[in-house]
Amino acid sequence: MGLDPLSPIAPARVRVLLVPVGRVKRSRFLAFVDRLRPHNVVRLGDVSADARPNRNMFSPLAFPSGLMLYDLSVSLPPGSHSPLAPFELFREPLVVIGVVDGVELGQLLGAVASEEGAYDALGQGVEELMDQFPKALVHRLLLFDHTPAASSRLPPEGIMTVPPPELVKITTMKTVMCDITSLLLAEMTTFAKSLQGLPSIESPSTSDGSHIHNGFPPGHGSQPEVWGRRGSETTPHSGSVSPATAAERAHHRMSMPAQLPSSAEGYSGAIAGSRSKSPPSRTRTPPPTTFDEIAGQGGSPNKNSLPSTLNRSSAGSVLRESSHDRISVHGFGSGSLSERARNKGKGRVGVVIGALYLHAGRWGDAVRELVESATIAKANSDHLWHAKALENILVGLLMLAWAGMDFQIPQICYPMAEKASAPSIKSQSSSTGGSDAGASQSPNAPNRLVSLQNLTSLLPDLLNTILNLYIRASNFTGESLPQLAFSESCIRFSKLLCAVHLSNGKLDDQALKLAVLNAPLLEKPRLRIPRISRKKAFVLRELLSVLTPGLVQARKLGAAEMGVHPAAGLAALNAVGGGAGAGALDLGQGDVEHGLVDLLGVLGRTYGVVAATAPRTDPTDTDAAGFDDSQAASQRLDGDSDEAVVARILQDATLRSFGSHALKLNILRHCINLCEALPDFHGVLRFTTELLRTAGSGIAPRADSDEGSTSLTRDEQVRLATNISRTVGAARKLGLRGIEAEYWDEFLARGVELLEPAAWKIPVLHSRSELESAGAVVETKEKSPFIYNPFLKRPDAAAAEKVLVVAEYAEFKITLQNPFEFDIEIERICLESTGVKFDPTDQGTVIGAYRTKMLSLFGVPRGAGTLTIAGCKVKIRGCRERRFPIFSEPWSPQQDTKIKSTGLAASERDSPRPISMTTGPMTSTSSASPGPKPSSLTLSVIPEQPVLVVKSTNLPQSAVMLLDGERKAFTITLQNLSSTVPVDLLLFAAQDSTAGPLQAAMNSKDILSAELYELELLFSHKEALRWRRENDTRPSIGPGESKAIEVEVLGKPGLTGGVVHLDYAHLGTCPEQATEIFYSRQVTVPITVTVNASIELVRADVIRCAPTSVWPKSIDQTRAISGKTDEPGAVRSSTAERTEHRHRDLLRGLGFQEDDRDHCLLLLDFRNAWPTALTVTLQLRSPTDGENAETWVDAYTLTEVIQSGHTSRVVLPLPRIFLKNSHAPIPTLNPANKRQFVLGASKLSPEAERASREVFWYRQEILKLLRGTWEEKGSNARRGDIELRNMKLSARMVDAVKIDDVEIEWAITNSESADTEDRSVRQTGRSAFNVPTEEFLTLRTRIHNRTSEPIYPLLRLQPSLRHQPHGVALDISKRLIWNGLLQQALPLLGAGEETEVELGVCVLCRGEFEIGAQVEEARLCPAPAEDEAEAKPKPTLVDRALGVRGRRCWYARERCVLLARDDA
């Protein structure tokens, strides 16, 4: 069967005529038609657009989401329909399809002897169709059940083949319809352009030769050429049109629709524009359901609408009154008759163009075109076409709503004041057309639900307006609508209103399906009778008071007949079989569910009882009769979801504030008594639960408040709880399943938190960059202890509470509340989660009366990702198992001070308010009382991690005793408890008791630089705990395996204990390729350490050697010069030789050459503080050997045994040391302080700063050459290092050990025997000479510049008598004479160079003389060149602490001693 021709959306369909061509059997023809009808809806997105640019007016690309609806008909339209075109285009077929049977084609092939000939014969059939149906735009032949031969040519244009059913694909028929649609859209463009060229279109009831007849030019008969088969080639008749006025240009749409979005959402805003202003406010009435109500409520605002009887005579008199307002204007201009006629014609053409857009499936463009045309028709009082435009606009809106798109009702559809001045009409029309078409792209378009509600409210008025316009048009000559069209419009409107009525007064999806697709609609139940709810509740209440005692009495009589006590229980009443009373429980379960309990539910809801109906997930499952939509809204949500529970809480809060609380409790007690008297298990459980729920506070109280108490006494609460348990138990004994109560408190769960696991199981988050900081990436690089070690940080408790590990139990603490005065027995409770898989454990408990309880629950995550604990599943004894959200924050409803509803509407939280034409429908929600916010716990679940534990250690009681400087190792055995994950990253870190004091001392602001260096050196190089690695490979521990690591402990003062931190993780790869983030765990091993004293350095001293103590040449020179061989001289020679040999052996053992003379003596005093004797070994190496460890093999070694409590002094020859820069800044080992050198806070003077630095650097050089160890002989065999850094140097010691920057040496020769060997002058020491008197001698002063800079020396010589007071010593004018200047400036002396100055002297008498020397910088060296200055580093802040460098002065370390004697 075809579609409904009187459907409300019939004007949107394209009529298609199917006719048989050739020999086609009736059954075969109808079968072919049935194959086409399922594909009568074509989506524009599946249609190919015409490639010709002049035929794309109705291009499907502009609105791919649109749909074209075809009305496939097999019969010609009645003759009465032809005059209605093009006023109603849907009445005439626009497409004619000839159906050809391919089976019958064989006979035709026999006649023409080839397939090409058959195609030519069918082409003639196409021509015949065009001649027979010239008004149609598309003519096609469909050749069914035919497959063209592979060798034959394609069928000619106009013929389409359809394969047999067994060869047909899913998209074959759809493709055929899409091809026909593409051709139709192209032909519609030609037809529309021909219409646009016409000056006007006559109404269907008139025919005038000077105008067109039914839309066709004169001279074409009843079948004009505009409708003909050559429509695309026909040149339309175009008349001269005068220029449009400014008002008309405001109405005119300047361009065709642009390429619109393909999605429904993108096009939803482009349907109808927003209204320029709100219509006049009207009293809102319920939607009418009959034509009487339509006539009574609809119509125009000036009450000129006609009654529903549609009496034209009476209507004419009324309309003639309004015609008095018209003013006839003759002449030219915008108000002339010719201009008015042109505007009318423009509007009528626009209505037909809009109808074509409606047929083409571009409903948004149709609405826009029709709005403009309706505005023009209304402005020119063209009532018939104004009504048709409004009707087509309504059809377009219905199609948009059916397609699920958003839309906005145009302003032209709303009832407006008819008596308006011309300027107001023009301004309104321009604003309406502009806003309806242009504002459609506004992002603030209302949503589809609001638009449907607005359309539902507007529908009666709009339909009444359309009918009134049709009636008003009949008063004008030639404008009367034929009775057929008017009647069919009334029927279509009636069907639309019936669909809305059957949908409970709502234009929803089911009503739209009924209007568009003629789908069957089930009548929704009328849930309540208006205005008698309270009366019905009052009658029911009185009925209960009468019915309950009668039922109780009947129960007693029945129990007496069966021989049981009435209070023996419900099971006893049903246990006796065969008797008349055995049917006490014979009431069917279905009867109970949909009978009395629902009737009592209506009673309770009328009085505002808090309902306890379990939530339903099926939206079609409704509760008992009388359960209205507002109260069932929360029940239709998804079960016990957060939204559903919050909606129930808010609805319960509204019901608690509605009505009398005492009356509610009384009603519920009556209901319980009635259900117990029946007996009815469902009713007893339901109303008992509702009584507890109604009596409860319905709030989430604070922990320290008593706001959550109930209004029932304790005895009654206990009785109700017992009643629930007893009823459920009785139902189970009777074999009834699924009879359980609904729990009465929504705020059962009040909080959940993750308990922190043990410290050794907490995963700590790290980044890959932290591996390098911890020394895990480059193991060969020595890690500075000053660099922050991220693995030593304590695990963040807040972060630990957010991380779980796969396959490891997690413990949660959940808080439960019970605001009632009886115990709540929980059979099982477990956590409910979302995200990754989570296996919770069940647990049972009992919550005491009126208290909160904290319960520990466990669970195991099974996958990595995000886990959210959003609630818990609880099975309470006697109640159904359900999910409870977690409400951690206190909440209580706040009463709204504004009264927005009265009567029974006050019990509905979301009550509908009158619909506004500007804002649409609204719901009065109480903004003053927002609902409670469910809380959740979001956790991160990381992949499975290894678990290490300390299996054992070889330290008894984790304690060790050491001596100062001793090292001892112990082992820690680790075991991996994981059976699947290995440990491939193991990091060692340690903390000891000395670290804290050292850190505090280093952070002190009053510490000197030298002391800070010592503390940093002790902190960084004297680690108390160190990991002894066997090799450089990275350690790993497999699943279930154990591994022992060795840790070394160093005894040092102040060490009392330490903690070993072992961080481990599973990276799955090498640390260099680790992921950006990873997690590690840490195990700690605390130990207790006792350190006792061993060898202590008590004091140290450095002294200079005697000038002649190691002068090797003095003995030989004395022996050769004196030439005496007496015995005493021989004895002195033997002693000198022994001294010479001892010094040579000592210097040779130290690695010095025999002629080296730059050395001093180092005195060290050691004390043995250990109870047993210790052997001390000291080693001294040469400065030239470097700092390698191998150089200690050949070092000079001294060994001495020191008894307990004794102090021993050790003397070592120490080579003198030369430093190029003894005033260099003292460095720091902490990288944080390397930005600038640290200055002491004591504000030392430049002289003291120089002295401090000089002491520091010479002490450093001495410690590089010296080391010492101690050892205990015996079974203990303890050994350790001696701490020599306690050595303190003074300025005198530094002067003894250092070599001056400028060294002065002496030499004296005889001037007369300079070329021969001089035996008169003997050198007895480095600076001591025996010289004769009264001989000319030459004093040579050698100056050696050891510095790295050149100097300008100024030499001063000071001769004097030896061993004499200062005043006598300088009186030498008669004892010593010299030839030259004692003070003279010398030339520039370069770095590392030497110079020699000669001075002639002569000693005049015997005695001892000495000559002192001083070298002073005559002037400072000039600044270096620019290139050298750039290479030289700039002075730092510490260099400035030394002050401005002045001229330096050096003195001879040894004076030149002259022992003068007479030769005689």
Side-chain angles (χ1 to χ4, degrees), residues 867-897:
L867 176 68
T868 302
I869 305 297
C872 57
K873 294 181 180 178
V874 185
K875 177 63 177 71
I876 300 175
R877 186 176 182 84
C879 300
R880 73 173 182 93
E881 184 177 10
R882 57 161 291 189
R883 173 187 176 274
F884 285 90
I886 299 173
F887 299 98
S888 57
E889 298 295 331
W891 177 84
S892 60
Q894 300 177 3
Q895 298 297 330
D896 195 353
T897 57

Coordinates of all heavy atoms in Angstrom, one line a residue, residues 867-897:
L867 N 42.3 4.0 38.2 CA 41.2 3.3 39.0 C 40.5 4.4 39.8 O 41.1 5.2 40.5 CB 41.8 2.2 39.9 CG 40.9 1.5 40.8 CD1 39.9 0.6 40.0 CD2 41.6 0.6 41.8
T868 N 39.2 4.3 39.7 CA 38.4 5.3 40.5 C 37.4 4.5 41.4 O 36.6 3.7 40.9 CB 37.6 6.2 39.5 OG1 38.4 6.9 38.6 CG2 36.7 7.2 40.3
I869 N 37.5 4.8 42.7 CA 36.6 4.2 43.7 C 35.5 5.2 43.8 O 35.6 6.3 44.4 CB 37.3 4.0 45.0 CG1 38.6 3.1 44.8 CG2 36.4 3.3 46.0 CD1 38.3 1.7 44.3
A870 N 34.3 4.8 43.2 CA 33.2 5.8 43.2 C 32.1 5.4 44.1 O 31.1 6.2 44.3 CB 32.7 5.9 41.8
G871 N 32.2 4.3 44.8 CA 31.1 3.9 45.7 C 31.4 2.5 46.2 O 32.5 2.0 46.1
C872 N 30.3 1.9 46.8 CA 30.5 0.5 47.3 C 29.1 -0.2 47.1 O 28.1 0.4 47.1 CB 30.8 0.6 48.8 SG 29.7 1.5 49.8
K873 N 29.3 -1.5 46.9 CA 28.1 -2.4 46.8 C 27.8 -3.0 48.2 O 28.7 -3.6 48.7 CB 28.3 -3.4 45.7 CG 28.4 -2.9 44.3 CD 28.6 -4.0 43.3 CE 28.8 -3.4 41.9 NZ 29.0 -4.5 40.9
V874 N 26.6 -2.8 48.6 CA 26.3 -3.2 50.0 C 25.0 -4.1 49.9 O 24.1 -3.8 49.2 CB 26.0 -2.0 50.9 CG1 25.8 -2.5 52.3 CG2 27.2 -1.1 50.8
K875 N 25.1 -5.2 50.6 CA 23.9 -6.1 50.9 C 23.6 -6.1 52.3 O 24.3 -6.6 53.2 CB 24.2 -7.5 50.4 CG 23.1 -8.5 50.6 CD 21.9 -8.1 49.9 CE 20.7 -9.1 50.0 NZ 20.1 -9.1 51.4
I876 N 22.5 -5.3 52.6 CA 22.1 -5.2 54.0 C 21.0 -6.3 54.3 O 20.2 -6.6 53.4 CB 21.5 -3.8 54.3 CG1 22.6 -2.8 54.0 CG2 21.0 -3.7 55.7 CD1 22.2 -1.4 54.1
R877 N 21.0 -6.9 55.4 CA 20.1 -7.9 55.7 C 18.6 -7.4 55.6 O 18.2 -6.5 56.2 CB 20.3 -8.4 57.2 CG 19.5 -9.7 57.6 CD 19.9 -10.1 58.9 NE 19.1 -11.3 59.3 CZ 19.5 -12.6 59.0 NH1 20.6 -12.7 58.3 NH2 18.8 -13.6 59.3
G878 N 17.9 -8.2 54.8 CA 16.5 -7.8 54.5 C 16.3 -6.8 53.4 O 15.2 -6.5 53.0
C879 N 17.4 -6.3 52.8 CA 17.3 -5.3 51.8 C 18.0 -5.8 50.5 O 18.9 -6.7 50.6 CB 17.9 -3.9 52.2 SG 17.1 -3.2 53.6
R880 N 17.7 -5.2 49.4 CA 18.3 -5.6 48.2 C 19.7 -5.1 48.1 O 20.1 -4.1 48.7 CB 17.5 -5.1 47.0 CG 17.7 -3.6 46.7 CD 17.0 -3.2 45.4 NE 17.2 -1.8 45.2 CZ 18.1 -1.3 44.5 NH1 19.1 -2.0 44.0 NH2 18.2 0.1 44.3
E881 N 20.6 -5.8 47.4 CA 21.9 -5.4 47.2 C 21.9 -4.2 46.2 O 21.4 -4.3 45.1 CB 22.8 -6.5 46.7 CG 24.3 -6.1 46.5 CD 25.1 -7.3 46.1 OE1 24.5 -8.3 45.7 OE2 26.3 -7.2 46.1
R882 N 22.6 -3.2 46.5 CA 22.6 -2.0 45.7 C 23.9 -1.2 45.9 O 24.7 -1.5 46.7 CB 21.4 -1.1 46.0 CG 21.4 -0.6 47.5 CD 20.5 0.6 47.7 NE 21.1 1.8 47.1 CZ 20.7 3.0 47.2 NH1 19.6 3.3 48.0 NH2 21.3 4.1 46.7
R883 N 24.1 -0.3 45.0 CA 25.3 0.5 45.0 C 25.0 1.8 45.8 O 23.9 2.5 45.6 CB 25.7 0.9 43.6 CG 26.9 1.9 43.5 CD 27.1 2.3 42.1 NE 28.2 3.3 42.0 CZ 28.0 4.6 42.1 NH1 26.7 5.0 42.3 NH2 29.0 5.4 42.0
F884 N 25.9 2.3 46.6 CA 25.8 3.5 47.4 C 26.9 4.4 46.9 O 28.1 4.1 47.0 CB 25.9 3.2 48.9 CG 24.7 2.6 49.5 CD1 24.5 1.3 49.5 CD2 23.6 3.4 49.9 CE1 23.4 0.7 50.1 CE2 22.5 2.9 50.5 CZ 22.4 1.5 50.5
P885 N 26.6 5.6 46.5 CA 27.7 6.6 46.2 C 28.3 7.1 47.6 O 27.8 6.8 48.7 CB 27.0 7.8 45.5 CG 25.7 7.2 45.1 CD 25.3 6.1 46.0
I886 N 29.4 7.7 47.5 CA 30.1 8.2 48.7 C 29.9 9.7 48.8 O 30.3 10.5 47.8 CB 31.6 7.9 48.5 CG1 31.8 6.4 48.5 CG2 32.4 8.4 49.8 CD1 33.2 5.9 48.2
F887 N 29.4 10.1 49.9 CA 29.2 11.6 50.1 C 30.0 11.9 51.3 O 29.6 11.7 52.5 CB 27.7 11.9 50.4 CG 26.8 11.5 49.3 CD1 26.1 10.3 49.3 CD2 26.6 12.4 48.2 CE1 25.2 10.0 48.2 CE2 25.8 12.1 47.2 CZ 25.1 10.9 47.2
S888 N 31.2 12.5 51.1 CA 32.1 12.8 52.1 C 31.9 14.1 52.8 O 32.2 14.3 53.9 CB 33.6 12.7 51.6 OG 33.7 13.7 50.5
E889 N 31.2 15.0 52.1 CA 31.0 16.4 52.6 C 29.6 16.4 53.2 O 28.6 15.8 52.7 CB 31.1 17.4 51.5 CG 32.4 17.5 50.8 CD 33.5 18.0 51.8 OE1 33.1 18.7 52.8 OE2 34.7 17.6 51.7
P890 N 29.4 17.1 54.3 CA 28.1 17.3 54.9 C 27.2 18.1 54.0 O 27.6 18.9 53.2 CB 28.3 18.0 56.2 CG 29.6 18.7 56.0 CD 30.5 17.8 55.1
W891 N 25.9 17.7 54.0 CA 24.9 18.4 53.2 C 23.5 18.4 53.8 O 23.2 17.4 54.5 CB 24.8 17.6 51.8 CG 23.8 18.2 50.9 CD1 23.9 19.2 50.1 CD2 22.4 17.8 50.8 NE1 22.7 19.5 49.4 CE2 21.8 18.6 49.8 CE3 21.6 16.8 51.4 CZ2 20.5 18.4 49.4 CZ3 20.3 16.6 51.0 CH2 19.7 17.4 50.1
S892 N 22.8 19.4 53.6 CA 21.5 19.5 54.1 C 20.7 20.4 53.1 O 21.3 21.4 52.6 CB 21.4 20.1 55.5 OG 21.9 21.4 55.6
P893 N 19.5 20.1 52.8 CA 18.7 21.0 51.9 C 18.4 22.3 52.4 O 18.2 22.5 53.6 CB 17.5 20.2 51.6 CG 17.3 19.3 52.8 CD 18.7 19.0 53.3
Q894 N 18.4 23.3 51.6 CA 18.1 24.7 52.0 C 16.7 25.1 51.4 O 16.5 24.9 50.2 CB 19.2 25.6 51.5 CG 20.5 25.4 52.0 CD 21.6 26.3 51.5 OE1 21.3 27.2 50.7 NE2 22.8 26.0 51.8
Q895 N 15.9 25.5 52.2 CA 14.5 25.9 51.8 C 14.6 27.1 50.9 O 15.3 28.1 51.3 CB 13.6 26.1 53.0 CG 13.4 24.8 53.8 CD 12.8 23.7 53.0 OE1 12.0 23.9 52.1 NE2 13.1 22.5 53.4
D896 N 13.9 27.1 49.8 CA 13.8 28.3 48.9 C 12.8 29.3 49.5 O 11.6 28.9 49.8 CB 13.4 27.8 47.5 CG 13.6 28.9 46.5 OD1 14.0 30.0 46.9 OD2 13.5 28.7 45.3
T897 N 13.2 30.5 49.6 CA 12.3 31.5 50.2 C 11.2 32.0 49.3 O 10.2 32.5 49.7 CB 13.2 32.7 50.6 OG1 13.9 33.2 49.5 CG2 14.2 32.3 51.7

